Amino acid sequence: MKSHLTLKAVLAVAAGTGLLLAGAPAQAETLKFISWQVNERGYGDWWNQAIAEFEATHPGVTVELSNVARPEYADTMTTLFASGSPPEIVHLASFEYQKFADNGWLEDLGPWIEQSDLDLTDWAGQDKCVWEGTTNCIMLLYFGFVMAYNERLLSEAGIAVPTTYDEYMAAARALTVDTDGDGIIDQFGIGHHTTAGNQYTHEMLNYILDAGGYWTDSEGKPAMNTPEMIEGLARWKTVLTEGLTPVDMTSNDTRQLFNEERVAMRVDGPWVYGVMRGADPEVFKHLKLAPPPFSPPVGGSSNVITMPSDISQEKKELVWDFIEIVTSEEFQKRFAQEGASPAPRPGAVRDSVYEAVPHFDLLIETQQAAAAAGVDRIPLGLEIQFNEFAKIVRNEVQRMVIEDLDPAEVAARLQTEAEALQ
Amino acid sequence: MAVQTDLQNRTERTLGSSSWIGRLRALDLSSPRHADKLGYILLAPAVLLIFVILVYPILLSVDLSLQDVDIPRIGETREPYTLDNYTKLFGSAEFWRASWVSLKLIVVVTSACFAIGLATALLVNQHFKGRTLARLFVALPWAVPEVIAVVTWWWMFDSSFGLINWLLVTLDLADKPIAWLSQPVPAFLVVSIVMIWKGYPFVSIMLLAGLQAIPEDHYQAAKVDGAGAWQRLFWITLPSLLPVFGVTMILVVLWVFRDFAVVFILTGGGPIGATQTLSMMTYEQAFGFFRMGFASAIGVVTLVICVLATRLMVSRMAKSMY
């Protein structure tokens, strides 16, 4: 009798639960979204605004935003895709998306774009999202480098803001000093990323571009054994051997040193302004931005948004709605305002942006200068192998500095190794 | 009761006397005859768990290493078997250089850890005022999380603003700051120092435990026979510690061999490969260049080296002692 009662009770609970579930609204949908910008001032705020807008216009759908630090980002995303559980909203750096596209993991966005009102004409850097003839992403940022400098340090040394490579080097030499006389240089003219990582290659590129060189030619073939490249390598070697930059530093370290007045000049992306705002107010008033003394400036694509190819059609539609929000005119204007960077959508600027970002015209100017010169940090033809290529460059250039090798010898070796890589 | 017996008999008739229920009922696990079976049954969950968390990943690595694959995906068609990854690996100068760096690191770090570990263990095994505090300080580096410790050392060895360079220049031990992490030899030295600092407390703790297990009678007898401090060290302490030495050495060697955080944070394997170990190379190939098959081949070779080294040390230490 007791067991009959128990069985009845279980059946009653099950039936009740079923009725409740049947009467409940459709199950809430969650879109996973991972980014390295969640906690970044400006960009993080913009993402949160876009999520709020999406959730408001899609009742019952939530976006679960998680932060993964940039150094672990590629590992994390690779693991998630390889295990078959990628986030629905995919945010990737423009130098790493190609590997995911090459594996067929990213959706062909061509049909989605065609069906929508999204006009990608003159969308900055969008051509970089085309991989093997397929549009795999939407570009979120294309930028040109600017030069951040400490006005007080330069004026105290009687130096004008440099506008050419020669002036820049003269300023760097004058500003690299031992301020407290303890025999150790504690103020550097320039701050560069000089440790492991691809940023080493990006920062070196300033000198190579100014000397007229580049990693590859217009057909994507290695073009490193050229007089211009040799000159660029020689310039980088000069910066390091003369000790004009602190060594063993990441780009973040040098940004912090810039904020602490230990580095006088740093050529960097538009995001440097966000870092500068973190400086002590007394220091911040001396921190300024100017066009870089290199022509053309380093520039290029930064990060992209896309979706996986193997999620359900229903989720793809939701993700596309999210992409439409972030690429809308309103949100592109907000991007410029919040991120203090020119948005890729043409004309996405509102007047109020100049109040928050007084140097906004400078950002547009360097973005256009880089775009006009067809510059990108990721060399054409070496996109897939970029990490390995960057390591080869770093190793050979470090060897040049350590063993005092002739830049011509290094350029020849780089050419051979890059050709073997392709 | 009668109803129950009847049901039991009917069930047995239905299933037959040779059914598994009958056999299971006949298996009296409490009897000495089946004691071994009980042991196996009790061990089964643990064995299963070990298989899932230990053996399966190893088998997966071996499987991947035999495929020419960049980024594998669960559930997708596998690539055909090939030895290409191993052929490429053994023909790669980078692999041999990484092996050489790993070997150098093992020799330097293990030797130093044992020298410092033994010295500190002997010291804190003595009776003196403040011994508890001394033991705490000896063990402290082991307790500090590795990443925090490495980042702290990284700042201390910073070429431009680090404490070490400031001390060297201020004390006139160097005429200019040393580029610790940008030059091959200093970079290797820094990696070794940090690993020694992190690793010696473990050796010290293990040897201290070994020292405390040596009967005091041995020393008393040796003293009566006129043995000096050095003689007692060489003829009583060190031979008695040999089994502990063996186990500790295996653990330290394996730790140095597979440690990743120290090299990754300090140098990333540079400059020009001076600190690139096999574990760094594995990581770089897998998550830097996305060559999972090749990275797995490095992992498998590393595993084989570790197993051989362990086997060799176990045999040698066992023979030395017994």
Side-chain angles (χ1 to χ4, degrees), chain A residues 11 34 52 56 61 67 101 122 138 148 161 164 174 209 238-239 243 315 325 353-354 377 410:
Chain A
L11 286 172
I34 299 173
V61 185
N67 189 62
D122 294 332
I138 306 288
V161 179
T164 63
L209 284 171
T238 305
V239 169
K315 284 199 169 178
I325 286 174
V353 77
Y354 291 94
R377 294 180 299 172
V410 176

Side-chain angles (χ1 to χ4, degrees), chain A residues 75 78 81-82 84 99 103 105 182 184 186 188 246-249 253 257 310 387-388 391 395 398-399 402, chain B residues 71-74 94 154 158-161 166 169 181-183 271-272 276 283-284 287-291:
Chain A
D75 315 1
T78 306
F81 269 92
K99 198 78 185 178
N103 274 280
W105 291 349
D182 66 354
I184 300 173
D186 51 18
F188 293 86
V247 290
D248 309 334
M249 293 274 171
D253 296 331
L257 290 173
D310 60 354
N387 287 349
E388 198 164 3
K391 189 195 170 185
N395 273 351
Q398 281 182 331
R399 196 187 310 280
I402 292 165
Chain B
I71 309 178
R73 196 165 192 189
I74 291 170
E94 195 181 354
W154 182 56
D158 179 75
S159 307
S160 310
F161 300 96
W166 181 80
V169 173
L181 304 174
S182 306
Q183 298 285 333
I272 49 176
Q276 168 113 323
Y283 172 82
E284 189 176 66
F287 295 107
F289 309 154
F290 303 108
R291 292 200 192 108

Side-chain angles (χ1 to χ4, degrees), chain A residues 1-280:
Chain A
M1 185 65 185
K2 188 182 174 184
S3 59
H4 276 295
L5 273 177
T6 311
L7 182 65
K8 276 182 183 171
V10 170
L11 286 172
V13 170
T17 311
L19 283 171
L20 276 174
L21 287 174
Q27 195 182 1
E29 194 80 77
T30 301
L31 300 180
K32 290 195 293 290
F33 174 24
I34 299 173
S35 173
W36 65 92
Q37 294 181 331
V38 178
N39 300 321
E40 282 184 23
R41 191 170 170 172
Y43 295 129
D45 300 331
W46 180 72
W47 281 122
N48 280 312
Q49 288 177 24
I51 290 168
E53 173 73 13
F54 176 81
E55 288 178 346
T57 51
H58 295 76
V61 185
T62 52
V63 176
E64 190 181 287
L65 178 62
S66 313
N67 189 62
V68 172
R70 189 56 242 175
E72 295 89 43
Y73 201 77
D75 315 1
T76 307
M77 293 300 272
T78 306
T79 308
L80 289 171
F81 269 92
S83 64
S85 53
E88 284 82 14
I89 300 170
V90 179
H91 185 211
L92 291 168
S94 58
F95 57 80
E96 67 198 0
Y97 97 85
Q98 295 87 354
K99 198 78 185 178
F100 294 80
D102 200 49
N103 274 280
W105 291 349
L106 301 182
E107 174 79 354
D108 175 5
L109 298 185
W112 295 92
I113 296 164
E114 277 174 26
Q115 287 167 20
S116 72
D117 297 331
L118 181 58
D119 180 9
L120 291 173
T121 312
D122 294 332
W123 192 275
Q126 182 56 29
D127 56 323
K128 294 287 169 191
C129 272
V130 179
W131 179 250
E132 306 284 340
T134 304
T135 301
N136 286 111
C137 54
I138 306 288
M139 188 59 66
L140 287 175
L141 176 62
Y142 183 89
F143 64 90
F145 271 19
V146 293
M147 185 178 74
Y149 66 96
N150 188 311
E151 193 177 44
R152 186 181 70 81
L153 294 181
L154 263 72
S155 64
E156 281 180 7
I159 299 164
V161 179
T163 55
T164 63
Y165 167 73
D166 290 331
E167 289 175 10
Y168 173 73
M169 291 299 282
R173 287 183 182 113
L175 291 163
T176 301
V177 287
D178 170 14
T179 58
D180 57 8
D182 66 354
I184 300 173
I185 300 292
D186 51 18
Q187 179 190 295
F188 293 86
I190 311 170
H192 275 307
H193 179 106
T194 45
T195 187
N198 296 350
Q199 189 67 19
Y200 188 99
T201 319
H202 299 327
E203 301 208 2
M204 227 179 96
L205 189 57
N206 285 298
Y207 301 87
I208 292 166
L209 284 171
D210 191 65
Y214 189 55
W215 307 121
T216 55
D217 62 19
S218 57
E219 291 176 356
K221 299 289 173 202
M224 279 170 274
N225 200 5
T226 63
E228 293 83 7
M229 175 63 76
I230 294 166
E231 170 62 18
L233 291 173
R235 289 180 179 189
W236 180 251
K237 185 180 175 186
T238 305
V239 169
L240 292 177
T241 51
E242 289 191 16
L244 303 179
T245 174
V247 290
D248 309 334
M249 293 274 171
T250 66
S251 48
N252 279 337
D253 296 331
T254 55
R255 286 175 193 131
Q256 184 59 33
L257 290 173
F258 177 70
N259 277 4
E260 293 172 5
E261 301 197 293
R262 292 292 161 193
V263 160
M265 298 180 289
R266 174 161 169 81
V267 178
D268 209 337
W271 47 82
V272 72
Y273 187 66
V275 181
M276 283 160 57
R277 286 194 289 187
D280 184 280

